[in-house]
Amino acid sequence: MTLEHTCCIGDTIQIGNGIRVTVLVIRGQQMKLGILAPKDVDVHRHELYQRIQAEKSATRSEKSDPLSI
């Protein structure tokens, strides 16, 4: 599901029971968001999340290869 929202400073989006995203600052083409989430929920920018997942996958591959040093 994709949500498109024209937002103003102070607007908040609720995701499920425990995640809130609030618009803190809007300057030109940039927006600063505040994200409130439970401690057990990791919050990352998408490109960082992808890098973390790729590193985890590479680590799992190395561990499953008995010939790897």
Side-chain angles (χ1 to χ4, degrees):
M1 179 176 120
T2 300
L3 171 68
E4 288 188 31
H5 175 69
T6 302
C7 56
C8 299
I9 295 173
D11 282 359
T12 299
I13 297 170
Q14 182 78 32
I15 303 172
N17 291 325
I19 301 172
R20 281 191 278 169
V21 180
T22 303
V23 178
L24 302 176
V25 176
I26 301 173
R27 283 193 195 111
Q29 296 293 318
Q30 294 187 339
M31 185 169 44
K32 187 180 285 188
L33 302 174
I35 301 170
L36 179 65
K39 289 183 178 185
D40 63 327
V41 175
D42 293 332
V43 178
H44 303 287
R45 285 191 341 256
H46 183 67
E47 55 274 14
L48 179 57
Y49 176 79
Q50 288 178 314
R51 189 177 338 146
I52 291 168
Q53 295 306 308
E55 289 173 4
K56 284 181 181 179
S57 178
T59 301
R60 281 192 297 269
S61 294
E62 289 173 6
K63 288 182 180 179
S64 66
D65 182 1
L67 300 177
S68 124
I69 297 177

